[in-house]
Amino acid sequence: MSRTARTTRRRLGPAATAVLAVSCVLAPAPAHAGTVTDYAITVDPSAAGATIDDTMYGVFFEDINRAADGGLYAELVQNRSFEYSTADNTSYTPLTSWTVDGTAQVADDAGRLNERNRNYLSLGAGSSVTNAGYNTGIRLERGKRYDFSVWARATSGTTLTVSLKDAAGELAEARRIGVRGGWAKYTATFTASRTVNRGRLTVASSAAVALDMVSLFPRDTYRNQPNGLRKDLAEKIEALKPGFLRFPGGCLVNTGSMQDYSEAGGWQRKRAYQWKDTVGPVEERATNANFWGYNQSYGLGYYEYFRFAEDIGAMPLPVVPALVTGCGQNRATDDQALLRRHVQDTLDLIEFANGPAGSTWGGVRARMGHPKPFGLTHIGVGNEENLPDEFFARFQEFRAAIEAEHPEITVVSNSGPDDTGSTFDRLWQLNRAAGVDLVDEHYYNSPQWFLQNNGRYDSYDRNGPKVFLGEYASQGNAFRNALAEAAFMTGLERNADVVKLASYAPLLANEDYVQWRPDLIWFNNRASWNSAGYEVQKLFMNNTGDRVVPSTATGTPGVSGPITGAIGLSTWATSAAYDDVRVTAADGTTLLSDDFSGDASRWTHSGGGSWTVQDGAYVQTDTEAENTLVTAGDPAWKDYDLHVRATKRSGKEGFLVAFGVKDTGNHYWWNLGGWNNTRSAVEQASDGAKSTLLSEPHAIETGRAYDIDVKVRGRQVGLYLDGRLWGSFTDDKPAEPFRQVVTEDRRTGDLIVKVVNAQPTAARTAIDLGGADVSSRARVTTLAADPEDVNTETDTPVTPVASTFSGVAGKFTYTFPANSVTFLRIRQR
């Protein structure tokens, strides 16, 4: 996951919702049919089309938005081993989520349970501790069983009383457990007497006792597995029928220390995710600070990921650190011994997954309950590294070592954090030159970008590395986002000879712990629900087909008219001073000139932060505020030159200079020193959702004055930094709302006609099946809703509707509803 802090709930831009009048072979629509737009689709079933692999679509699991602990991992006790730390979150203590009645102290001395489980609780005589669980509390369902366990030590012997209660009283019959002697595991089982969402678990002791690994699991986990997965979430993932499971991250893989969790490594809590920390008995697994601001217990670890992939019939695709950090950190580790250790760890991972039960790491897998190998075929090395040469040098060492011992394993590289830019270009150059098999691309963009870029892979080299689209999503969870993603996915399928794997991201979001939007499946402690994007993904993943049947469709004319708009200034977690603002028309006329020798009355403050005129400059002083936009000028301005002098005073990033500003949600801005001051980019906002048009590694110096110039001519823009051309772009791609692809399911003989109509008018469409001999009836699945509709726990307006259509022939007409995704499954005779 790329950590751009600029993701919010967003809407589709006006260009994408324009009503299109497109000529085609149909007769003109009658006057009363003014809400119908005409299109034509022509299919050529005799032409050769790309083969679609069974692994085309999959899922990517990253522990973000509490996706693991408190999410897919079914453990109901939060902070069960008292390991929470300020290293995880500044608000945490070892007793976070616990309340103490009496005396209790968290200890980290030699009396601990084991070396890697550093903390334990020393509970005084007559005292108790109560756990609050996740969200509103511990969820219990009447009549269901729950398995309690605890590791305890008591020198003189004691009785533990374990109870489940809420504000109204007891939720199950209390259990009494005798404890005596050294560390041992004790268990009990509860049957819930009521269904509640606010349960609490209390452990009380009659005498002094040491406690660790206090656990409560529902007996009813996914496939009833111990240390198992939350059933409803796992079943929703299984229902997608994913071809692969990528795990465990994301930014978890390539951030923090690369040391292991040991005394030699300094017991570092902010570490990259390393697989050996996560296998073996759960009480002996390490803990770690999660990059996204909380703790990860590693109860859900590599063994559980492999087992889950096997259960849902998905190819496992783990990702290991490349020893180059990303996600705003951008450091390369030069410790050769450490690099060799990580390379060996990766070889050991292959043995863990595929080795015989008699091998060292295959034996670990066997002792965990899986003697049979998991059948690993792919490994990703690294994630979104923004230092291309440093990353690729290390990637080559991993690749060489893996291929020498395991030539059957495909080693996956990546192309950095963006869909374009110098890092992207350089990494693709390196990957092509080295003959890499598969390159992982990531991008999160506006709905408009996805509508504009359906043809992204049409021009990719058919003989070069293949694409793994490991992370992508439109910025938002409304149906308009899902429509844009669906339109883009028709282009992925059309290019299935290049795009071999694709997975939306992120997968899960706990509604009370959200670090990132959008997300595919939402949940709390009592329920889960499918986003609009989930319904689109499921429709494509359950109806992929085996080969592309070539087809063409009528479309929309290109974008016309110049870029127009006012100008703006902003900051992001940074204090900066702006001066000498000038806007000049192409003919030399001055449109705006402000040296801030007076007030700032020409500027409208629409964002956060604190702006004041100080010493002849316009200064934003709040280093915590994240979007402080101020604007000036006329939204009708076109063909102009903008000059700004900017100086960073303090903070994390640099400058944001906006142009083409129509309003706060529709503009372009040059983001200089963004992403924790690691790169600069031009971003386009369309109804609040942003897409990156240009991107380069770059940092802004504190205290230095920069001359920034933007030249807008028609739909072309040139950007100059201190008098030198930094970059340029032309924004002229149409945001095509009508997209289609046709595939064939060889097992059933079906032609699957997949049509996206992402506009507010129905699309009456002439469909020519090119002479195919077909049944007169089609099975139809339709997703249609208002573009702003968002599925919630209590309301799911975006839901698939199944129907039949009996008017199929070699040539027929079908009207696709406004704002819809429609799949027609047509049986070939």
Side-chain angles (χ1 to χ4, degrees), residues 432-771:
R432 278 192 297 267
V436 169
D437 291 316
L438 204 55
V439 177
D440 188 2
E441 292 190 355
H442 295 178
Y443 38 82
Y444 298 88
N445 288 316
S446 68
Q448 178 170 308
W449 184 94
F450 283 94
L451 293 176
Q452 290 175 319
N453 284 275
N454 175 273
R456 174 180 176 87
Y457 296 106
D458 291 353
S459 59
Y460 270 49
D461 181 1
R462 267 45 203 171
N463 298 313
K466 304 306 181 184
V467 173
F468 169 23
L469 181 50
E471 296 184 31
Y472 74 97
S474 160
Q475 294 159 343
N477 269 122
F479 187 49
R480 68 168 63 253
N481 302 95
L483 283 169
E485 290 154 4
F488 188 72
M489 291 172 77
T490 66
L492 299 183
E493 288 194 5
R494 186 176 64 251
N495 289 285
D497 58 328
V498 169
V499 183
K500 306 307 289 183
L501 308 168
S503 50
Y504 179 106
L507 181 61
L508 294 172
N510 186 324
E511 68 170 352
D512 292 335
Y513 306 95
V514 178
Q515 287 88 27
W516 184 277
R517 300 172 190 267
D519 303 289
L520 207 62
I521 301 169
W522 289 74
F523 65 94
N524 51 36
N525 64 341
R526 62 187 176 272
S528 58
W529 56 97
N530 304 335
S531 70
Y534 176 96
E535 297 298 352
V536 161
Q537 293 291 324
K538 184 178 179 182
L539 193 55
F540 275 85
M541 293 166 79
N542 282 237
N543 298 277
T544 307
D546 303 293
R547 79 169 182 103
V548 176
V549 181
S551 60
T552 58
T554 51
T556 182
V559 173
S560 61
I563 292 173
T564 60
I567 64 160
L569 308 170
S570 188
T571 59
W572 204 284
T574 301
S575 173
Y578 296 94
D579 199 0
D580 296 333
V581 178
R582 296 191 305 274
V583 182
T584 308
D587 63 4
T589 304
T590 298
L591 302 176
L592 173 72
S593 179
D594 201 338
D595 63 2
F596 302 104
S597 56
D599 57 25
S601 58
R602 301 183 190 184
W603 297 83
T604 300
H605 184 189
S606 55
S610 178
W611 288 88
T612 57
V613 175
Q614 299 179 18
D615 300 323
Y618 202 18
V619 182
Q620 199 292 115
T621 56
D622 187 345
T623 57
E624 300 298 323
E626 290 193 332
N627 186 357
T628 67
L629 185 65
V630 293
T631 59
D634 187 341
W637 279 350
K638 62 180 180 179
D639 296 338
Y640 59 79
D641 296 339
L642 164 63
H643 172 81
V644 180
R645 172 160 276 217
T647 306
K648 175 180 176 177
R649 292 162 43 118
S650 61
K652 297 179 181 178
E653 303 204 350
F655 318 117
L656 295 161
V657 176
F659 54 97
V661 179
K662 298 185 183 302
D663 53 49
T664 56
N666 293 278
H667 56 76
Y668 303 82
W669 67 22
W670 189 1
N671 182 353
L672 293 124
W675 296 268
N676 288 329
N677 204 19
T678 60
R679 56 191 169 108
S680 295
V682 176
E683 298 176 282
Q684 180 185 14
S686 177
D687 282 355
K690 294 186 179 67
S691 300
T692 301
L693 304 182
L694 293 173
S695 179
E696 301 287 346
H698 185 224
I700 293 295
E701 300 174 24
T702 302
R704 174 183 165 186
Y706 291 84
D707 284 308
I708 299 166
D709 291 275
V710 179
K711 183 184 294 290
V712 181
R713 295 292 184 273
R715 301 201 67 81
Q716 295 182 328
V717 178
L719 304 113
Y720 298 81
L721 188 61
D722 289 335
R724 293 186 177 182
L725 180 66
W726 177 86
S728 62
F729 68 92
T730 301
D731 181 23
D732 60 358
K733 287 184 180 179
E736 170 61 66
F738 186 84
R739 295 292 189 184
Q740 61 79 37
V741 70
V742 180
T743 64
E744 181 182 29
D745 184 337
R746 290 197 178 102
R747 182 181 62 82
T748 64
D750 290 350
L751 288 177
I752 312 172
V753 180
K754 312 173 188 184
V755 176
V756 181
N757 183 29
Q759 59 183 325
T761 56
R764 185 176 61 183
T765 306
I767 301 175
D768 182 347
L769 295 179

Side-chain angles (χ1 to χ4, degrees), residues 308-343:
F308 184 46
E310 183 178 70
D311 288 342
I312 62 178
M315 176 183 78
L317 205 168
V319 182
V320 299
L323 274 71
V324 177
T325 58
C327 302
Q329 295 185 357
N330 294 357
R331 296 188 304 271
T333 299
D334 292 322
D335 185 333
Q336 286 300 306
L338 187 59
L339 176 60
R340 287 192 295 273
R341 193 267 287 175
H342 276 266
V343 170

